[in-house]
Amino acid sequence: MEPQENKDEIKTQENKQENPESKAENNIPNNPPQEKKEEPQIQTFYLGDERHPVDPNAEEIEYIGERIRALENLEKCKNLKKLLLRRNVIKKIENISHLTQLKELELYDNQLKKIEGLETLVNLDTLDLSYNLIKKVEGLDKLKNLRVLFLVENHISKIEGVDMLEKLYDLDFGSNKIKQIENLDKLASHLVKLSLAKNRIRYITNLEAMTNLTFLTLQANKLDKIQGLDNLVNLKELYLSQNFIEKIENLDKLVKLEILDLAFNKISKLENIETLSQLTDLWLNNNNISNPHDLEMLKFVPKVTTVYFWKNPVASVPSYKQIIQEYLKDIEQIDSTIIKTSY
């Protein structure tokens, strides 16, 4: 009789052969856990260090792309008129309430989340807070002398907080999340330039009072119709490219218009431009215009010196440039082709 110990040993070995999964598990190496590597810290700097000195008598301070972390050490800069800190890592507008002589403040491309700390800057003329993380327009009530306001590429979803800016001349809300044009009526007497490109606007509305506008851009929105522009009788530049517009219409009151950009739309016919006698630039590239007879409409805009029709079916007509020249005697450029040089 075999000893019981030998029988148990044989049985255990048989069990190991019958369970390959157990064998595989036993062969997995027991590696120690790896230490988590710390991510390298990005070095930041401050105003007033050796690399970024602050002159207390300076009227202008400018540091661009220097990874400055905060607005600080400006207490003695009583005469400062321009503070330009583009492309830094500033997170908050603070410590500048004493800069009452400041005319221009540029904090473009920082990490700001809120408009604040500006109440005492009553002489501010230009404010650029573009390329930040701002969601709401606020804190501008006291800036009665502000003429230029840039809020491009933020997270703003509503036009608000600007109606008390009595001298505002140029307003840029480009590249935000705005769906509706609104709250601009109180700016009507002085606003000349309005930029709402790259938003989510579907309809041109609430511009009836904006009779002093000379520049309007609604490029790259969700427009499918030209409308709501009848009262903009002083408009000289209109940019509506990269939308879904199918027809040229409702422009007959814009008799001072000089530049009309309707590129990258769905327009299939050149029409309704008879009253645009002051037009000098007409951009219609990347549309669906196919009939060369439509080009006869160009006789109503004899001052045009630049036209773009490339990437329309009509541009494949062999004589289409000659047809344009027949109607536009002063033409200087057709698409990328220079016809003659202006002196």
Side-chain angles (χ1 to χ4, degrees):
M1 178 178 287
E2 293 181 24
Q4 183 66 33
E5 290 181 1
N6 290 343
K7 287 184 178 180
D8 291 339
E9 184 177 350
I10 293 169
K11 189 173 183 180
T12 302
Q13 289 176 354
E14 289 174 352
N15 287 341
K16 287 183 178 179
Q17 291 176 356
E18 291 172 0
N19 293 291
E21 291 181 3
S22 299
K23 185 176 181 181
E25 288 175 1
N26 291 334
N27 289 333
I28 296 175
N30 187 19
N31 293 331
Q34 294 183 353
E35 293 184 6
K36 187 176 181 180
K37 293 182 180 179
E38 293 186 5
E39 294 184 3
Q41 294 288 327
I42 298 175
Q43 185 179 9
T44 59
F45 302 92
Y46 62 89
L47 283 172
D49 63 14
E50 292 184 0
R51 182 170 172 174
H52 309 96
V54 172
D55 180 357
N57 298 313
E59 292 191 358
E60 179 176 338
I61 292 176
E62 179 177 6
Y63 290 115
I64 298 175
E66 292 291 323
R67 300 197 299 279
I68 292 171
R69 66 191 180 202
L71 293 169
E72 55 190 342
N73 298 321
L74 297 168
E75 293 81 4
K76 297 180 180 180
C77 300
K78 305 296 185 182
N79 299 317
L80 197 62
K81 290 182 171 59
K82 289 186 178 183
L83 181 57
L84 313 174
L85 298 172
R86 179 184 290 229
R87 287 194 292 112
N88 285 287
V89 290
I90 298 167
K91 291 180 169 59
K92 185 175 182 180
I93 303 174
E94 59 185 345
N95 303 322
I96 59 171
S97 60
H98 61 286
L99 302 179
T100 55
Q101 301 303 310
L102 203 63
K103 294 278 190 180
E104 183 175 349
L105 176 60
E106 183 183 278
L107 296 173
Y108 174 112
D109 196 4
N110 277 277
Q111 298 175 10
L112 303 173
K113 293 183 178 180
K114 185 177 182 179
I115 304 174
E116 59 186 331
L118 302 174
E119 294 82 4
T120 60
L121 307 187
V122 294
N123 289 304
L124 205 61
D125 176 90
T126 301
L127 177 61
D128 189 350
L129 300 177
S130 300
Y131 290 85
N132 278 284
L133 306 170
I134 297 165
K135 293 183 177 181
K136 184 177 182 180
V137 184
E138 58 187 337
L140 302 175
D141 305 52
K142 306 296 183 182
L143 306 184
K144 302 298 184 182
N145 290 300
L146 196 67
R147 297 179 72 251
V148 179
L149 176 59
F150 295 153
L151 292 166
V152 180
E153 193 74 47
N154 277 282
H155 301 302
I156 298 166
S157 59
K158 184 175 183 179
I159 300 174
E160 60 183 340
V162 296
D163 56 340
M164 77 299 294
L165 302 176
E166 301 170 355
K167 296 184 180 180
L168 199 63
Y169 171 94
D170 187 352
L171 177 59
D172 196 337
F173 272 110
S175 298
N176 277 285
K177 300 178 180 181
I178 295 167
K179 295 181 179 181
Q180 183 176 353
I181 305 171
E182 59 185 333
N183 299 323
L184 296 174
D185 285 2
K186 292 183 179 179
L187 306 179
S189 64
H190 42 276
L191 193 66
V192 173
K193 298 182 68 176
L194 177 60
S195 301
L196 296 168
K198 295 186 178 179
N199 276 283
R200 302 173 183 180
I201 298 168
R202 291 184 178 275
Y203 307 102
I204 305 175
T205 56
N206 299 321
L207 291 177
E208 292 82 3
M210 312 305 293
T211 56
N212 288 312
L213 279 184
T214 64
F215 176 102
L216 174 63
T217 175
L218 284 159
Q219 295 168 299
N221 275 280
K222 297 184 177 182
L223 305 174
D224 60 10
K225 185 179 178 67
I226 303 173
Q227 60 185 353
L229 302 174
D230 286 356
N231 289 4
L232 308 188
V233 293
N234 288 301
L235 204 62
K236 292 186 176 181
E237 299 181 40
L238 177 60
Y239 301 90
L240 298 175
S241 62
Q242 299 180 61
N243 278 286
F244 303 92
I245 296 167
E246 297 182 357
K247 185 177 182 179
I248 303 174
E249 59 184 334
N250 299 320
L251 298 175
D252 51 296
K253 302 294 177 59
L254 308 186
V255 295
K256 295 183 180 181
L257 202 62
E258 296 176 1
I259 298 175
L260 177 58
D261 179 8
L262 291 169
F264 291 92
N265 276 288
K266 297 183 177 183
I267 296 166
S268 58
K269 185 176 179 62
L270 180 58
E271 59 185 336
N272 299 322
I273 61 171
E274 292 90 339
T275 63
L276 308 183
S277 60
Q278 301 303 307
L279 208 62
T280 61
D281 289 68
L282 177 60
W283 304 337
L284 281 162
N285 52 282
N286 295 81
N287 276 285
N288 301 320
I289 299 171
S290 59
N291 191 341
H293 293 294
D294 286 357
L295 299 177
E296 187 176 352
M297 292 298 298
L298 295 174
K299 69 184 180 184
F300 295 108
V301 288
K303 293 185 178 181
V304 167
T305 58
T306 301
V307 292
Y308 279 88
F309 283 102
W310 65 286
K311 293 199 174 178
N312 279 271
V314 73
S316 63
V317 175
S319 60
Y320 111 96
K321 290 183 180 179
Q322 286 72 31
I323 297 172
I324 291 174
Q325 287 179 271
E326 181 181 337
Y327 293 114
L328 299 176
K329 302 303 181 183
D330 295 323
I331 192 70
E332 296 173 6
Q333 182 172 342
I334 300 174
D335 302 332
S336 60
T337 303
I338 303 299
I339 306 301
K340 64 180 178 181
T341 305
S342 176
Y343 296 98

